[in-house]
């Protein structure tokens, strides 16, 4: 045989059969296209004037000039920064406080609190926002109505349509995520470090300040950055609470630019470019803190028993605080939606209104012409995107974790890239991309499928990489030594062993797909509505009772799915990346 | 006969640089013999084994079994690992947790190109399972097995394919000490009965000494000595081998006289000693004398110094009672020797004691080739 053939043979780790390259090639090509094409088109679009029937798009910097060279610029940037910083701080403080209570003190009913605090993660942002409008809007908000009735004034106690209101609602909505992540941070800290301080004679508060907080610091910085990023990306809260009173942030400005007639996609794209820059800075900084946090987390899981502090009578106070928190983030919003859904038209709760309880709203939802189609679309889209994401990322994770292919880290980065796209930006980018590529997906379910697969690919990658790392590579090698080919090994050993992780991943993507609104809102058209879009339309039409009825049903079904996902995750010990 | 010829294997390190794990490794294993690759972690023994398996593709060299080449860089041959029909037991056992004991053992037969029929597979699987005493738990989930049972299942899975070559990668290292000892005999019995050509990798010298027909001691990717267990132990060729296999005392020395074939006289801090030297050594050459602790003979009364044996008086510095034997640290001048004695010797710490070193048991090694 020739020398080149010998070189070729030796440069490959294993002699590779055909099937393997086909599967790997397809998965990599898919990831590359999904991650890179929309980004390219978005940047390209931001440099052109809007194309009209009479004039083609022309190259211009005007979009950037309008976006960044006006008085608006500073206001927009200021609003976005204030909103994101405020929301992230609120979520962080609340989440950290309750995580500390739950992990490090002997507060009663801790496990019940922990389970319940995960419930708000399920409630879609749009429903959470709507419920707070029903609670605290100046005109119809229950809080205001109640206070005004009680003291016979027309004083407005709480105005949700304000920067403060936006921060309050978004911060609260994100606080369970902060709670979950800080709980993980506290758990990954070696308790023996604190015990050593205890044996040195330190008091409880000294330990909390000088050990627990210091050790949790790198993780906490990472958590704050994630919260900041999510607040910057948040669309529902600024759109519902900010736009009516003219408080604009980047996401709502993008939406405005697309929705005005004629829509200014170039301008929206240049706003989106800024958002992308901010998001990538956050992701970069977060990855740096993750490296720092790694050094501090020394727990191997062996012989680990969380140590709790006795805080005496204070534990009743902390338990009460926890209960109050749960009332505010779970019970109140859900009850107000439930109440609203049982009315003919929205009225604040009263004894008189109790007599008028009716299921009419639910009937109306079922009778709504779009309903059946929207539910069907949601189901098909979520199932399809979950299946594609789970299987594709299984192959990608295999390449990254198992092979020594040069450049395999690039695959990892590609698959994680969509994490940087705020949902609205991704929707915009995909819209631009497929408006320009005439393969006929624009305006169909397909484009939404593409958006969902792109958006949730990073989550699939995380799930599958985790499970893949937990699989000893000798499990595969022993199959090879037994005489099995690559496809046989993948099919009979790798996939079955990944199954619990795959199922958890699948269910997770189904859940987030059903809730998805910010990408869909720019991509749907008549006939391709999904359930979250239907809620949005109800809101636009002012149909609050129907919205509530649909919301109650949606929350109930999401809750069922989440329980299923937790169960599947536990089966394999796969850490859920957080709902 | 397995023949490995000037095998070199590299793999990319953390920073993308090439790590040379196996360098110019050559050896031959006659049919039916058990050959052990022994060395500290990172010496390239596992890489060598995985190269034979085909899980690593070597950079150069040639590997052939029964005259059939499975890898040759010169001829551009590299048979896929799943086509080599080599049985392998992994360090982690790699028992598939989603299958039963039976399914694990049947897998190699089910994925074969010339797949036997159901009945035949069942026959062969049950035969091999009963050979490792797992036939009564065949239907059990593989995860329900104990460590020792998993180890036997891994062995059964490697044996069921009736391999031409058996590869064992530290198969006993995950067992506790008692079980390890028992499995060592079990493994030896099965290997001897089936007369399977076997390559065994371990860092445990006791395992290597107990099991092997032949041992290759490896260091930094190279084989430093090949020999039978007795040769390796009694006649180590370098300080590294002497130090790695068993425990030993090293005494700095200088050759003062050559006495025929394999004897010489050396000057040491404890005076002149008659020793054995395996390489030919020259006058004035720096040397290191290795004496095993069990060859440092202790007595409370002065023994008669017969012939070439050296007798020195020392003081007991410290001692440790280990049940089967007693370890003494004996100080002679500035030198401290470790001696292993029968527990009946009860000399207290600080007392005088006599040491006898037999010329036969003192091995002089060349200091230059001895390494650090």
């Amino acid at each position: 045989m020739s020398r080149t053939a010998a070189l070729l043979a030796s440069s490959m780790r294993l002699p590779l059969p055909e099937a393997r390259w086909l599967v790997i090639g397809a998965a990599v090509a898919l990831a590359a296209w999904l991650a890179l094409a929309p980004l390219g088109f978005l940047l390209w679009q931001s440099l052109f004037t809007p194309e009209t029937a009479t004039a083609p798009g022309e190259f211009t910097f005007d979009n950037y000039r309008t976006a960044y060279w006006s008085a608006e610029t500073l206001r927009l940037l200021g609003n976005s920064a204030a909103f994101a910083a405020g929301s992230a701080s609120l979520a962080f403080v609340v989440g950290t406080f309750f995580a500390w209570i739950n992990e490090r003190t002997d507060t009663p009913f801790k496990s019940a609190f922990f389970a319940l605090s995960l419930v708000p993660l399920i409630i879609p942002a749009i429903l959470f926002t709507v419920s707070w409008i029903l609670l605290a809007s100046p005109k119809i908000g229950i809080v205001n109505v109640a206070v005004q009735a009680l003291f016979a004034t027309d004083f407005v106690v709480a105005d949700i349509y304000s920067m403060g209101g936006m921060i309050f609602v978004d911060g609260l909505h994100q606080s369970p995520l902060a709670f979950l992540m800080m709980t993980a941070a506290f758990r990954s800290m070696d308790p023996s470090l604190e015990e050593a301080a205890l044996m040195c004679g330190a008091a409880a508060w000294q330990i909390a300040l000088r050990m627990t907080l210091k050790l949790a610091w790198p993780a906490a910085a990472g958590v704050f950055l994630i919260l900041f990023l999510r607040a910057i990306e948040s669309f529902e809260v600024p759109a519902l609470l900010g736009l009516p009173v003219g408080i604009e942030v980047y996401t709502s400005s993008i939406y405005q630019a697309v929705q005005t007639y004629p829509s200014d996609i170039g301008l929206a794209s240049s706003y989106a470019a800024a958002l992308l820059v901010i998001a990538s800075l956050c992701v970069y900084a977060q990855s740096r803190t993750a490296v720092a946090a790694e050094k501090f987390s020394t727990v191997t899981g062996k012989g680990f028993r969380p140590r709790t502090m006795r805080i005496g009578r204070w534990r009743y106070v902390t338990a009460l605080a926890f209960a109050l928190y749960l009332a505010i983030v779970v019970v109140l919003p859900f009850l107000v939606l439930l109440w609203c859904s049982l009315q003919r038209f929205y009225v604040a709760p009263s004894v008189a209104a109790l007599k008028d309880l009716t299921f009419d709203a639910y009937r109306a939802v079922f009778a709504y012409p779009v309903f059946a189609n929207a539910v069907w679309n949601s189901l098909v889209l979520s199932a399809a995107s979950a299946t594609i994401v789970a299987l594709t990322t299984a192959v990608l994770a295999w390449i990254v974790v198992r092979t020594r292919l040069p450049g395999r880290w690039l695959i990892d980065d590609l698959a994680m890239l969509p994490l940087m796209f705020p949902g609205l930006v991704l929707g915009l980018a995909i819209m631009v991309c497929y408006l320009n590529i005439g393969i006929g997906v624009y305006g169909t379910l397909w484009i939404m499928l593409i958006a969902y697969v792109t958006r949730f690919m990073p989550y699939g990658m995380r799930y599958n990489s985790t499970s893949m790392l937990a699989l000893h590579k000798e499990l595969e090698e022993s199959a090879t030594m037994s005489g099995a080919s690559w496809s046989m090994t993948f099919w009979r050993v790798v996939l079955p062993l990944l199954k619990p992780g795959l199922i958890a991943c699948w269910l997770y993507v189904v859940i987030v797909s059903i809730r998805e609104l910010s990408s869909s809102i720019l991509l749907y058209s008549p006939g391709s509505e999904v359930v979250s879009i239907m809620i949005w339309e109800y809101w636009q039409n002012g149909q609050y009772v129907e919205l509530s009825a649909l919301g109650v049903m949606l929350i109930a079904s999401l809750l069922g799915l989440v329980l299923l996902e937790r169960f599947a995750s536990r089966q394999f010990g796969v850490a859920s990346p957080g709902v | 006969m397995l023949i490995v010829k000037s095998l070199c294997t590299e793999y990319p390190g953390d920073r993308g640089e090439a790590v040379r794990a196996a360098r110019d490794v050559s050896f031959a294993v006659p049919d039916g013999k058990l050959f052990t690759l022994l060395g500290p972690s990172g010496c390239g023994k596992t890489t060598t084994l995985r190269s034979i398996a085909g899980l690593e593709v070597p950079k150069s060299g040639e590997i052939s079994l029964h005259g059939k080449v499975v890898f040759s860089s010169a001829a551009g041959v590299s048979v896929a690992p799943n086509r080599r029909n080599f049985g392998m037991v992994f360090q982690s056992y790699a028992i598939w947790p989603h299958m039963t004991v039976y399914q694990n053992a049947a897998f190699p037969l089910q994925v074969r190109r010339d797949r036997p029929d159901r009945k035949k597979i069942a026959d062969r699987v049950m035969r091999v399972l009963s050979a490792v005493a797992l036939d009564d738990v065949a239907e059990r989930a593989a995860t329900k097995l104990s460590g020792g049972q998993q180890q036997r299942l891994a062995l059964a899975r490697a044996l069921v394919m009736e391999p031409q070559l058996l590869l064992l990668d530290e198969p006993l290292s995950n067992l506790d000490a008692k079980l390890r000892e028992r499995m060592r005999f079990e493994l030896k019995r099965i290997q001897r009965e089936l007369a399977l050509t076997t390559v065994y990798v371990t860092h445990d010298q006791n395992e290597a000494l107990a099991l092997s027909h032949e041992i290759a001691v490896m260091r930094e990717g190279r084989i430093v000595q090949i020999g039978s267990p007795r040769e390796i132990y009694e006649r180590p060729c370098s300080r590294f081998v002497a130090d790695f296999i068993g425990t030993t005392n090293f005494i700095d020395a200088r050759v003062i006289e050559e006495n025929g074939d394999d004897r010489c006289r050396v000057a040491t801090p404890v005076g002149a000693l008659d020793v054995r030297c395996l390489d030919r050594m020259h006058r004035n050459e720096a040397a290191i004398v290795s004496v095993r602790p069990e060859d440092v003979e202790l007595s409370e009364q002065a023994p008669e110094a017969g012939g070439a044996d050296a007798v020195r008086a020392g003081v007991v510095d410290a001692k440790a009672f280990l049940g089967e034997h007693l370890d003494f640290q004996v100080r002679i001048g500035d030198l401290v020797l470790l001696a292993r004695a029968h527990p009946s010797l009860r000399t207290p710490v600080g007392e005088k004691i006599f040491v006898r070193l037999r010329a036969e048991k003192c091995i002089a090694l060349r200091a230059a080739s001895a390494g650090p």
Side-chain angles (χ1 to χ4, degrees):
Chain A
M1 212 178 282
S2 72
R3 201 178 142 67
T4 29
L7 269 173
L8 203 66
S10 63
S11 70
M12 291 185 295
R13 197 168 81 88
L14 303 170
L16 298 159
E18 290 289 309
R20 180 176 181 180
W21 282 122
L22 276 178
V23 176
I24 290 176
V28 173
L30 183 68
W33 170 256
L34 288 179
L36 295 178
L39 183 67
F41 274 101
L42 182 76
L43 295 178
W44 172 80
Q45 181 68 64
S46 69
L47 294 169
F48 279 83
T49 56
E51 192 181 83
T52 59
T54 49
E58 279 174 33
F59 182 80
T60 177
F61 280 115
D62 277 355
N63 296 320
Y64 282 94
R65 211 164 293 144
T66 326
Y68 303 113
W69 210 254
S70 64
E72 276 296 274
T73 310
L74 271 182
R75 219 166 53 89
L76 199 57
L77 190 65
N79 278 345
S80 297
F83 169 65
S87 157
S89 307
L90 177 64
F92 180 77
V93 169
V94 172
T96 306
F97 176 66
F98 287 112
W100 181 76
I101 285 180
N102 211 47
E103 280 304 309
R104 288 293 194 266
T105 68
D106 59 346
T107 303
F109 310 119
K110 280 199 306 192
S111 52
F113 282 142
F114 183 77
L116 282 172
S117 66
L118 300 180
V119 177
L121 288 169
I122 304 160
I123 303 178
I126 184 169
L127 290 176
F128 192 74
T129 315
V130 167
S131 71
W132 275 97
I133 291 175
L134 297 176
L135 280 166
S137 95
K139 289 203 193 82
I140 58 165
I142 292 172
V143 177
N144 289 317
V145 172
V147 170
Q148 284 161 4
L150 209 62
F151 298 102
T153 70
D154 53 0
F155 177 72
V156 174
V157 189
D159 181 1
I160 207 74
Y161 293 109
S162 62
M163 178 59 87
M166 284 161 65
I167 289 175
F168 176 78
V169 172
D170 201 63
L172 272 191
H173 189 243
Q174 289 205 59
S175 61
L177 183 67
F179 170 79
L180 208 63
M181 290 192 292
M182 285 312 290
T183 300
F186 284 137
R187 275 190 192 168
S188 72
M189 265 164 29
D190 190 341
S192 69
L193 296 174
E194 289 168 76
E195 279 163 9
L198 191 68
M199 294 316 289
C200 290
W205 64 270
Q206 285 174 314
I207 296 171
L209 280 181
R210 296 188 52 181
M211 294 293 149
T212 318
L213 264 185
K214 289 253 169 75
L215 288 170
W217 163 241
V223 170
F224 185 84
L225 279 167
I226 291 175
L227 293 171
F228 186 86
L229 181 63
R230 291 185 56 123
I232 277 275
E233 294 177 356
S234 166
F235 165 69
E236 290 89 339
V237 174
L240 262 57
L241 300 180
L243 280 185
V245 289
I247 304 174
E248 289 189 21
V249 298
Y250 274 116
T251 48
S252 48
S253 297
I254 293 172
Y255 179 69
Q256 288 282 75
V258 177
Q259 291 300 310
T260 46
Y261 187 82
S263 65
D264 196 343
I265 296 178
L267 180 64
S269 303
S270 46
Y271 281 135
L275 211 45
L276 266 180
V277 170
I278 297 173
S280 38
L281 285 178
C282 283
V283 169
Y284 174 73
Q286 198 266 331
S287 70
R288 295 301 299 269
T289 63
V291 174
E294 200 91 313
K295 284 186 215 147
F296 279 9
S297 68
T298 46
V299 172
T300 51
K302 227 178 190 180
F304 171 74
R305 206 160 32 82
R307 198 183 61 83
T308 55
M309 253 188 286
R310 296 212 178 82
I311 52 170
R313 240 178 273 165
W314 281 100
R315 64 207 182 99
Y316 300 112
V317 179
T318 52
L320 200 69
F322 220 128
L324 202 68
Y325 166 71
L326 287 178
I328 290 178
V329 295
V330 187
V331 183
L332 224 51
F334 185 75
L335 282 185
V336 78
L337 283 182
L338 189 64
W339 169 261
C340 185
S341 73
L342 295 170
Q343 299 289 317
R344 238 177 274 282
F345 48 88
Y346 180 69
V347 282
S350 63
V351 184
L354 260 178
K355 285 189 219 119
D356 292 328
L357 291 188
T358 166
F359 283 110
D360 278 3
Y362 290 87
R363 272 180 222 115
V365 169
F366 281 109
Y368 198 69
V370 176
F371 177 72
N373 196 32
V375 169
W376 176 248
N377 285 346
S378 273
L379 288 178
V380 168
L381 271 180
S382 54
S385 53
T387 309
I388 296 173
V389 164
L391 291 179
T392 310
T393 55
V395 175
L396 293 176
W398 185 86
I399 301 171
V400 173
V401 174
R402 280 291 184 268
T403 67
R404 295 179 192 161
L405 285 183
R408 61 187 184 284
W409 54 270
L410 203 66
I411 297 171
D412 197 33
D413 285 1
L414 272 181
M416 297 308 271
L417 186 67
L419 213 56
M420 283 187 349
F421 287 85
L424 202 67
V425 175
L426 185 70
L428 179 68
I430 286 177
M431 182 175 93
V432 172
C433 177
Y434 293 98
L435 272 174
N436 284 292
I437 303 175
I439 51 169
V441 295
Y442 187 77
T444 66
L445 270 189
W446 291 102
I447 198 169
M448 295 174 77
L449 179 66
I450 293 170
Y452 288 11
V453 169
T454 312
R455 191 150 185 219
F456 303 129
M457 190 160 60
Y459 301 115
M461 196 66 186
R462 248 182 228 176
Y463 264 107
N464 279 321
S465 304
T466 318
S467 344
M468 196 76 80
L469 282 172
L471 280 191
H472 203 299
K473 75 173 181 191
E474 290 186 349
L475 290 168
E476 286 166 52
E477 288 175 350
S478 60
T480 306
M481 290 313 291
S482 300
S485 63
W486 180 79
S487 1
M488 183 81 87
T489 305
F490 205 79
W491 187 247
R492 288 205 48 188
V493 175
V494 179
L495 280 183
L497 287 174
L498 285 183
K499 199 163 72 185
L502 277 176
I503 292 173
C505 165
W506 192 86
L507 283 168
Y508 178 75
V509 175
V510 165
I511 293 163
V512 288
S513 300
I514 289 178
R515 283 193 330 195
E516 213 305 312
L517 175 68
S518 52
S519 290
S520 320
I521 193 124
L522 296 178
L523 297 174
Y524 82 98
S525 35
S528 68
E529 294 95 343
V530 290
V531 172
S532 56
I533 291 294
M534 212 175 128
I535 293 177
W536 176 261
E537 285 187 341
Y538 273 139
W539 175 256
Q540 300 287 56
N541 300 339
Q543 293 168 282
Y544 300 162
V545 288
E546 289 86 353
L547 185 158
S548 302
L550 183 55
V552 167
M553 291 190 281
L554 181 60
I555 290 174
S557 25
L558 285 176
L559 185 63
L561 278 173
V562 167
L563 291 178
L564 216 63
E565 189 254 357
R566 298 276 146 184
F567 177 74
S569 289
R570 237 196 319 272
Q571 288 289 300
F572 202 52
V574 182
S576 160
V579 184
Chain B
M1 179 97 117
L2 169 75
I3 298 172
V4 176
K5 246 190 262 166
S6 35
L7 185 78
C8 291
T9 304
E10 292 179 353
Y11 58 85
D14 292 335
R15 274 165 287 130
E17 79 283 16
V19 176
R20 295 166 67 190
R23 307 179 193 184
D24 196 20
V25 172
S26 301
F27 58 86
V29 185
D31 288 344
K33 300 295 185 202
L34 192 149
F35 184 87
T36 297
L37 294 166
L38 174 67
S41 62
C43 73
K45 55 191 190 304
T46 294
T47 306
T48 305
L49 188 80
R50 289 168 59 87
S51 300
I52 298 171
L55 294 170
E56 307 281 342
V57 177
K59 194 147 173 43
S60 61
E62 189 177 299
I63 301 167
S64 64
L65 183 70
H66 305 323
K68 190 178 160 267
V69 175
V70 293
F71 175 82
S72 166
S73 54
V77 175
S78 181
V79 177
N82 51 337
R83 298 268 166 272
R84 290 192 185 186
N85 197 34
F86 294 173
M88 183 157 175
V89 174
F90 291 82
Q91 184 172 10
S92 67
Y93 312 144
I95 299 298
W96 300 304
H98 61 300
M99 297 182 187
T100 63
V101 171
Y102 179 88
Q103 285 167 334
N104 261 284
F107 185 86
L109 298 178
Q110 289 166 347
V111 298
R112 275 177 95 100
R113 275 191 179 157
D114 53 334
R115 179 186 170 143
D117 59 55
R118 244 171 197 299
K119 177 88 181 39
K120 263 221 180 81
I121 291 183
D123 264 6
R124 278 171 68 175
V125 170
M126 287 322 286
R127 207 179 329 135
V128 75
L129 282 181
S130 61
V132 295
L134 284 177
D135 43 341
D136 49 335
V137 292
E139 291 313 314
R140 200 177 284 181
T143 45
K144 296 266 159 60
L145 297 185
S146 69
Q149 285 174 320
Q150 287 195 15
Q151 205 274 337
R152 297 207 299 267
L153 176 55
L155 184 63
R157 192 175 60 190
L159 293 176
V160 76
M161 53 203 281
E162 288 167 8
Q164 305 173 338
L165 179 68
L166 183 61
L167 305 172
L168 304 168
D169 185 4
E170 309 229 6
L172 303 180
S173 65
N174 278 343
L175 302 177
D176 58 63
K178 269 267 158 60
L179 197 57
R180 197 179 314 159
E181 219 153 290
R182 221 175 60 215
M183 284 309 296
R184 195 186 289 165
F185 283 109
E186 192 71 356
L187 207 56
K188 188 167 182 172
R189 182 184 61 78
I190 291 174
Q191 193 271 332
R192 301 294 197 262
E193 268 173 18
L194 299 177
L196 266 171
T197 314
T198 305
V199 180
Y200 190 100
V201 160
T202 184
H203 65 271
D204 182 328
Q205 29 133 345
N206 293 328
E207 236 166 81
L209 295 173
L211 281 169
S212 319
H213 290 102
E214 210 168 29
I215 298 174
V217 182
M218 288 188 75
R219 182 191 192 194
E220 288 170 0
R222 297 177 194 281
I223 292 181
V224 289
Q225 188 175 6
I226 296 187
S228 72
R230 194 168 275 279
E231 274 166 8
I232 297 268
Y233 189 79
E234 292 183 349
R235 308 172 65 172
C237 71
S238 69
R239 178 176 181 150
F240 171 78
V241 176
D243 199 19
F244 188 75
I245 314 280
T247 359
T248 194
N249 294 292
F250 289 118
I251 307 169
D252 292 328
R254 185 164 292 279
V255 180
I256 45 181
E257 206 179 313
E258 302 165 66
N259 297 338
D261 289 345
D262 62 346
R263 292 296 168 97
C264 58
R265 195 167 172 79
V266 297
T268 71
V270 291
L273 293 177
D274 283 313
V275 298
R276 268 175 80 179
C277 46
L278 305 175
D279 299 325
R280 211 168 161 72
M281 302 190 89
H282 303 289
R283 253 192 95 174
N284 261 337
E285 209 183 324
I288 284 170
V289 176
S290 155
V291 197
R292 299 282 180 197
E294 63 269 27
D295 295 329
V296 178
E297 295 171 19
L298 299 180
S299 55
E300 289 183 348
Q301 266 78 50
E304 353 170 345
D309 301 349
V311 173
R312 298 286 184 276
V315 175
V316 179
D317 226 21
K319 57 180 188 174
F321 177 65
L322 296 167
E324 299 152 38
H325 53 82
L326 197 57
D327 275 359
F328 280 82
Q329 285 196 331
V330 179
R331 178 179 296 276
I332 310 166
D334 283 338
L335 185 75
V336 178
L337 284 182
L338 180 69
R340 193 153 287 174
H342 194 268
S344 59
L345 188 68
R346 297 191 162 212
T347 317
V349 172
E351 289 293 304
K352 190 172 170 185
I353 199 160
F354 289 95
V355 172
R356 176 155 75 171
L357 300 171
R358 291 182 190 275
E360 189 69 9
K361 303 288 185 186
C362 299
I363 314 286
L365 302 165
R366 197 167 267 142
S369 74

